[in-house]
Amino acid sequence: MKVRRIGLLTGGGDCPGLNAVIRAVIKTALNEHDMEVVGIEDGYEGLVLRRSRPLGLDDASGILTVGGTLLGTSNRSNPFGYPVERGGKLVFEDRSDDVAAYVQDLKLDALVCVGGDGTLSIAHKLFVERGIHSIGIPKTIDNDLYGTDQTVGFDSALTTATEAIDKLHTTAQSHHRVMVIEVMGRNAGWLALAAGLTGGGDVILIPEIPFKMESVCKVMEERVRRGKRFSIIVVAEGAYPEGGEPFVKRRVADSMESARLGGVGEWVGREVERMTGMETRVTTLGHLQRGGTPTPFDRLLATRFGREAVKLVAKGEVDRMVALRGTEITSVPLGEVAGRQRKVPPDSHWIACARSLGVGLGE
Ligand code: F6P
């Protein structure tokens, strides 16, 4: 069957590179396959609330370098558990029937869903339970999606975090201070580990290796003995001390949104000051990591992923996610990706590099 019309949505947290994906999908669909593209607004919210608009070549113009997503996004609109207020109480309703009806009314042959684990798990469930065809494109600054070596957005966030660490170095050196920087990443340490290595952190704390404060402080003290009166500690928001738990800023009732992490940086900073007496400052990088223009790497990845997703749709493939394996673009079943998280493995080359270079991991 010839695919005539596809829907395109971006779900979950925004990141640099989403517009580059949108551009590649529109251009490939229109230029090479004579398909029509319908943009769904604000992720699955647009499918539940019937908000969409046609996308043409003009929409794809001038957006390659622009951060965010022109379609809007949402991480609180799971159609299988859609939040609504009833009698002053928040309840979650199954609105997947509405989604199926809207997809049919729009005459969409397939959806291209750009998102992280939440968005792609829903795409898979919509296929299994409602027969809605979709192809997923992996994006998240956390880089924690199963089945792909890298996600769109990670390289840009890494660049922001690296630049921030470079800047913190100057104050650390000038004031002889310990500077702690908390970076995002949810329950995976990819961003902290990579930024710690590229920014020259002295200690890197990640969720995959619960840390001991004695071991963290030993690094600072050894550096002082060698005449280095400053240190940089890079902490993943999901890192936690041995025997403890991740620091949760806010628990959420929503079935799509995860608990918001944060606060471990402040805690580590206080402990370093208390245990070593060294003056310490803490920076939480926050949503700066999700903003700005995508790096050339992310622009290229977004372009390759966007094109490949349309090619798969055109071939009649369904329920798959495009993926990067080494330097090649491939695809994997969405069912293999859904509900799984890719954490930094203990035998990661990045961890081995940190150890070889004498970077403290709090072990
Ligand atoms: O998944 C991307 C991410 O930025 C995480 O690194 C972070 O924990 C979370 O989203 C923050 O979510 P929100 O934008 O809802 O505060």
Side-chain angles (χ1 to χ4, degrees):
M1 184 197 83
K2 164 128 175 73
V3 172
R4 297 190 187 286
R5 212 165 214 246
I6 59 172
L8 173 62
L9 66 82
T10 51
D14 72 330
C15 67
L18 291 175
N19 282 324
V21 172
I22 292 172
R23 173 178 177 269
V25 169
I26 297 175
K27 290 196 173 199
T28 309
L30 270 63
N31 290 341
E32 283 197 320
H33 296 283
D34 205 21
M35 290 175 189
E36 288 173 36
V37 182
V38 176
I40 312 293
E41 292 171 8
D42 301 331
Y44 292 111
E45 177 115 10
L47 285 180
V48 174
L49 301 182
R50 297 185 161 246
R51 286 202 316 253
S52 65
R53 58 179 191 266
L55 295 174
L57 287 176
D58 281 352
D59 297 293
S61 176
I63 61 168
L64 176 62
T65 61
V66 183
T69 159
L70 67 84
L71 289 173
T73 186
S74 161
N75 52 7
R76 305 205 59 214
S77 49
N78 180 356
F80 294 97
Y82 189 78
V84 271
E85 247 192 59
R86 294 248 180 274
K89 264 184 69 185
L90 192 67
V91 293
F92 295 95
E93 290 180 347
D94 186 345
R95 302 286 296 271
S96 56
D97 275 346
D98 297 343
V99 167
Y102 191 44
V103 167
Q104 205 169 25
D105 291 350
L106 286 173
K107 298 189 170 53
L108 300 179
D109 297 311
L111 294 173
V112 173
C113 301
V114 192
D117 177 41
T119 304
L120 300 184
S121 296
I122 291 167
H124 177 60
K125 201 166 174 192
L126 283 172
F127 173 69
V128 173
E129 296 192 10
R130 303 279 158 198
I132 296 173
H133 291 183
S134 52
I135 293 292
I137 299 183
K139 69 84 218 172
T140 162
I141 65 162
D142 306 334
N143 205 31
D144 61 350
L145 266 177
Y146 192 83
T148 184
D149 288 350
Q150 197 150 328
T151 53
V152 171
F154 175 69
D155 188 67
S156 304
L158 173 58
T159 302
T160 299
T162 305
E163 284 169 4
I165 297 169
D166 290 350
K167 287 180 178 157
L168 290 175
H169 256 101
T170 55
T171 304
Q173 261 167 329
S174 308
H175 287 263
H176 318 295
R177 285 178 181 162
V178 176
M179 300 297 272
V180 178
I181 177 167
E182 182 184 305
V183 302
M184 283 184 165
R186 243 187 254 276
N187 298 105
W190 296 105
L191 189 53
L193 184 55
L197 289 172
T198 55
D202 305 296
V203 173
I204 304 172
L205 305 177
I206 59 173
E208 291 83 351
I209 306 178
F211 61 85
K212 296 187 188 71
M213 274 317 295
E214 296 69 32
S215 144
V216 172
C217 293
K218 218 166 119 197
V219 174
M220 333 271 82
E221 284 155 1
E222 269 168 21
R223 280 175 59 77
V224 169
R225 269 197 291 281
R226 287 193 291 111
K228 299 276 182 194
R229 293 166 59 206
F230 73 94
S231 286
I232 301 279
I233 305 179
V234 182
V235 194
E237 62 177 0
Y240 56 96
E242 218 175 54
E245 283 185 5
F247 289 67
V248 174
K249 229 173 13 189
R250 202 169 91 99
R251 299 203 177 273
V252 281
D254 192 308
S255 51
M256 184 171 167
E257 211 185 353
S258 328
R260 289 203 203 119
L261 299 172
V264 60
E266 286 291 345
W267 187 84
V268 167
R270 270 196 306 276
E271 286 299 290
V272 167
E273 212 158 47
R274 185 180 66 79
M275 291 169 73
T276 65
M278 289 177 78
E279 195 182 5
T280 305
R281 294 286 188 275
V282 179
T283 301
T284 303
L285 206 46
H287 290 80
L288 286 175
Q289 294 157 101
R290 297 231 304 252
T293 187
T295 56
F297 183 94
D298 269 337
R299 293 179 199 184
L300 189 57
L301 188 63
T303 302
R304 298 177 78 195
F305 276 171
R307 173 188 184 270
E308 183 66 13
V310 175
K311 294 279 163 204
L312 290 179
V313 170
K315 275 196 276 179
E317 300 265 5
V318 294
D319 198 36
R320 297 188 74 79
M321 179 188 83
V322 299
L324 181 74
R325 283 281 165 79
T327 57
E328 298 302 314
I329 301 293
T330 173
S331 71
V332 292
L334 268 179
E336 271 179 25
V337 175
R340 289 171 90 171
Q341 205 191 18
R342 193 174 71 100
K343 294 212 174 201
V344 180
D347 62 350
S348 151
H349 193 245
W350 295 4
I351 290 182
C353 285
R355 289 198 182 111
S356 299
L357 270 68
V359 176
L361 295 168
E363 299 166 284

